[in-house]
Structure formats: structure tokens, C-alpha cells
Amino acid sequence: MDSYITEYLEVPARLHLPADTEMDKKLLEKLLEIHENNVERWKILDSYYKGQAKIQERTREAHKPNNKIVLAYPRYIVDILLGMFLGKPVSYTTDVNNEDYLYMLQEVFDANNEQDENTEIGKLASIGGLGYEVVYLDEEGNVKFNEVPATNMIYVYDDNINSEALFALYVREQHTVDTLGEEGQKVVTVFGRDKVQEWAEGAGGFTLVDETVNLFGQVNVIEFINNNERMGDFERVLPLIDQLNLSMSDTANDFQEFTDALLVIYGAMATDSESIKQMQDDKVLLLDGQGQNAEWLIKNINDVAIKNERDNLDEKIHKLSLVPNLSDANFGSATSGESLKYKIYGTDQVISQKQRKFQTALYKRIELITTMINIRNRTDYAANDITIRFNDNKPYDELANIRAVSELLKAGASKQEAFSRLKDLDDVQEEIKRQEEELDPYMQQLDLAIEGDGDDIPADTEEV
């Protein structure tokens, strides 16, 4: 039974090297060797998300039922957390002095379908604990960014106390028409702080084939971390998921064996191996005995114990992954936003951790993009001039949210600060702009009426 429970998956440790380390063939091959040992873990986690599991490896004798039921808990856990975390787009704001800067940033975001990119890289991090993004310039000089799975990236930090990225190695196979569908030539792009190198594998190992200046002035690959432990969201509960898959599969086997019950007939002649095979096909077992008698030989199934075990495993999976069971009657019995808040308190803690880690990575993205904006426009914008806000998609009390925003405005908070608390408002700046555009014609009409005899004062305005 234990052979169908996933063994502990060791989380890869962060790699550190002295800050003055230079990339060479020996170091490159050593890093690839270390990386190859870690790839299997990410492949296992990704396969679980896609609906595969350890139970599918089980083999049994041909005459025994061998059901292999896989429950989609990994996908459920990832998709629920991802929906609550990034189901609504991340919003960006700044003060009025930097509106041009935000506009240029937003143009880059729109050209790269930033909202979808955030979701995809958030999913990678949720599944495997890590996700990567390369920020680069295309052939026309436009800033681009795209996610890369951990299976294709090696990330190396310097060994300072506050360590920074030293190298990022993008590993993949390059194919020609002749090698398509087969193992191709391995190529590696090494993103360093001041240069980008291209290495290719040949008969004598790896050789440097190209080297260019890194215009970003730093490693232009961003590491998105899911949590401090760098673990996937369902990784801790994999043994429980495997156990439940096994329980469900064995129960299905038991019921199939119940259906395949044998009819026992006492007082019949002895049987040989050929007869046994015939009995398995005919579902009849012939035994010697006194007298004549017949009965069905069945396997007793303790359905109450099975249900209790299954419910217990299901409860533990949700409890330890901190993901609520949205179909649970107890969860649905919450009658207010406040009661829902307590029911998903544990989930809130997971989302908060994700936000902090994701925000750090997003600021690095903005910093890299800003480098190009400043070079092209001879400006000195800084990434910390932008405020990042996450608009989580958890259940909430809409009326209470509106009242809270109203109280903030009454207390003297700026529109930007107050409106940023509205959970269904994606673009605060756009909303403030729309309000100003609607107010201007109204105020012009009011000014004209005051300058005149007051006859044209709008009907819903008190005369001064």
C-alpha cells in the first residue's frame, strides 16, 4: 500500500556563489547537473495538477480488478487559491506628478497581456513553489516579459547577506527539422548582471557561441516565490491525497469483486487448474462436501468505516492545505461577510503570504521596465513611485465594503486612498478621471447660473 504514496519531495536549496564569479564551461555543466536532480520534483507536481497520481503505477494480477481513481485535489487547491489571489487584476496607482510614468508602464503591460501573465506565473508558483519571468527586448526594441517554468531555469544568487541575483540560466533543447520529436541539442542562455551569453552543447561539451551587453544592468530574470519554503500549495498534503486515491480505488475494487461473486456448490467433484480458470469465467466454485448445498461467496464491505476514513482524509486535506471546501454545507451556512471572514481566516493567511512574495517580484519587473523607459526618455523614474494593490477575489460583504469607503471619505481620506479599498474597482485612476469629467460640465453650468440671475441652476442644486 505504501508504495503508492508519494515519497517526500526535497525542495531545491537556493544556490549561492561569490559575487565576482565568472561563468565558464565547468561552472555551467555543474549547475546543469544540480538542476537535473531537481527537475523530477517539478515534473511530479505538474503531473499531479494535470490529473496524474501515484496510484496509476499500480499493477495487479490479470484476474483481479485494478481501478485507478485519481481525485483532482491538486487542481482544486491551486485553482481556488489562484482565483482568490489573482482572480481580479492587480492595480497600479501613483501620484499626479507621475501620471506620464504610469501611462508608459501601462502601455508595456498592455502589450504583454500583463493580467494573463500574472495568472500564468502565479499558477506556476502555486504548483511547484517557484516561477520565473524573463524581461527582454524584442527585435524592434520593445520591452517584453514572459513566464518560464522552473524546469527550464537555474537561478543563482551572490553570497552577500542581502543576496541578489548573480546568474539566471535559461535551459532548453533546440531542434531542427531532422531532430523534431527527438532529443535535440541543449542550449543555455546565461543572463548575467552585465552581459548575456549563449552556450551550445556539442561533441566536446558546451561552448560559448555568443555574448552581448545586458542593457538592463542587472539579471533580467525574476524569481516568483510562492512562500518562504518555496513549496507548492498542495505539496504538503500529497500523502493524504495519495491515500484517498488509494482508498477510493480499493473501494471500487471491492465493489467490483462483490459484483464478481462466486457461486459455491458443495458436494461436487475436485477441480484442477483448468477448472479454476473456468470457474473464474463462470463465477462458480465447485467444492467437495457432504450433501447438496449452494451459496454465494462474497467479500463483506464495511461501508461505514470506509466513509469515515474518506471523510476524515477529505477534511484533513482541506484543513492542512488551508483551502476551504466550498461545497461543504457548513461553509455555505455563513450568512454574512463577517462570518465568511472567519471561515476563510486560514486561507487569508496564505493569500497574504502570496501577495507579499508576488509584490516583491512585481516591483522587480517594474524596475526592469523602468530602466528602459528612463534610457529612452532621459527620465529618472523609480519603481517605488508606483503603488501595487491586489484586488483579492474572496467572498465579502459588499455593503460593508461600500460603507467603509464612505467613512474614509468623510474622515478626510483622499479619493485615491478611499477608492482603492473598493474591491470591485479595478482602475482607481480611471474612476477618479471619470468623476472629474462628469463634474466639469456640471460645475460650468452652475457657474453660469450664479453669474446670471440663478434661473439656470440645476434642479438638484440648492441656490446659494
Side-chain angles (χ1 to χ4, degrees), residues 147-391:
E147 81 277 0
V148 176
T151 49
N152 295 92
M153 189 66 70
I154 306 171
Y155 212 71
V156 184
Y157 291 86
D158 62 35
D159 58 359
N160 295 328
I161 294 176
N162 186 21
S163 56
E164 297 287 342
L166 181 61
F167 297 115
L169 287 69
Y170 174 40
V171 185
R172 71 273 187 202
E173 289 186 355
Q174 196 170 68
H175 293 272
T176 63
V177 174
D178 295 332
T179 62
L180 198 61
E182 304 172 4
E183 185 176 351
Q185 180 191 36
K186 186 170 290 185
V187 293
V188 181
T189 302
V190 179
F191 298 94
R193 291 174 172 175
D194 55 1
K195 55 191 174 185
V196 178
Q197 300 176 333
E198 294 289 340
W199 293 76
E201 187 179 28
F206 281 90
T207 57
L208 179 63
V209 296
D210 191 27
E211 183 175 287
T212 57
V213 174
N214 188 345
L215 297 177
F216 290 93
Q218 59 178 306
V219 175
N220 49 312
V221 177
I222 309 162
E223 185 175 55
F224 285 75
I225 303 173
N226 193 46
N227 48 51
N228 284 334
E229 297 74 32
R230 302 153 70 86
M231 296 179 69
D233 287 323
F234 60 84
E235 191 168 352
R236 291 181 179 88
V237 294
L238 264 185
L240 294 174
I241 295 172
D242 280 332
Q243 185 64 51
L244 190 49
N245 287 337
L246 185 58
S247 175
M248 291 286 290
S249 300
D250 284 345
T251 301
N253 289 343
D254 289 342
F255 276 107
Q256 187 171 338
E257 288 173 349
F258 180 85
T259 304
D260 295 342
L262 298 176
L263 178 62
V264 183
I265 301 177
Y266 296 97
M269 66 181 69
T271 57
D272 54 21
S273 59
E274 188 66 29
S275 299
I276 292 175
K277 185 178 184 305
Q278 187 65 40
M279 284 187 289
Q280 289 173 343
D281 293 336
D282 296 341
K283 310 301 182 191
V284 176
L285 181 63
L286 304 177
L287 297 176
D288 289 333
Q290 295 180 351
Q292 297 289 329
N293 189 25
E295 64 180 359
W296 286 102
L297 180 63
I298 63 173
K299 182 176 181 179
N300 293 324
I301 299 175
N302 190 340
D303 54 345
V304 174
I306 291 172
K307 183 179 184 305
N308 289 339
E309 180 200 23
R310 194 173 300 162
D311 291 346
N312 187 36
L313 286 169
D314 176 81
E315 181 184 353
K316 281 184 168 56
I317 290 171
H318 286 290
K319 181 179 180 179
L320 297 179
S321 66
L322 298 176
V323 176
N325 182 356
L326 300 180
S327 62
D328 184 8
N330 292 326
F331 184 86
S333 64
T335 57
S336 68
E338 193 65 23
S339 58
L340 280 172
K341 184 190 300 183
Y342 287 106
K343 286 183 177 293
I344 61 173
Y345 177 79
T347 310
D348 276 338
Q349 309 317 304
V350 176
I351 299 299
S352 295
Q353 290 181 40
K354 285 175 170 288
Q355 288 177 349
R356 286 191 291 270
K357 298 302 180 184
F358 211 81
Q359 179 173 276
T360 300
L362 289 182
Y363 269 121
K364 178 60 68 174
R365 176 199 286 169
I366 293 173
E367 182 181 333
L368 290 167
I369 296 172
T370 303
T371 298
M372 291 297 108
I373 290 176
N374 287 337
I375 290 174
R376 291 170 179 173
N377 298 279
R378 298 182 180 181
T379 51
D380 58 352
Y381 295 124
N384 56 16
D385 290 332
I386 302 296
T387 300
I388 299 174
R389 293 194 181 278
F390 292 93
N391 303 303

Side-chain angles (χ1 to χ4, degrees), residues 384-420:
N384 56 16
D385 290 332
I386 302 296
T387 300
I388 299 174
R389 293 194 181 278
F390 292 93
N391 303 303
D392 61 66
N393 200 28
K394 300 189 298 292
Y396 72 98
D397 188 327
E398 294 185 28
L399 184 58
N401 179 232
I402 294 171
R403 285 172 177 167
V405 172
S406 178
E407 291 299 321
L408 278 174
L409 290 170
K410 290 178 182 178
S414 66
K415 286 184 178 180
Q416 180 171 308
E417 175 62 27
F419 288 172
S420 67

Side-chain angles (χ1 to χ4, degrees), residues 76-92:
Y76 178 87
I77 291 170
V78 169
D79 289 357
I80 290 296
L81 288 177
L82 187 64
M84 290 184 175
F85 173 37
L86 292 170
K88 292 184 179 178
V90 178
S91 59
Y92 307 87

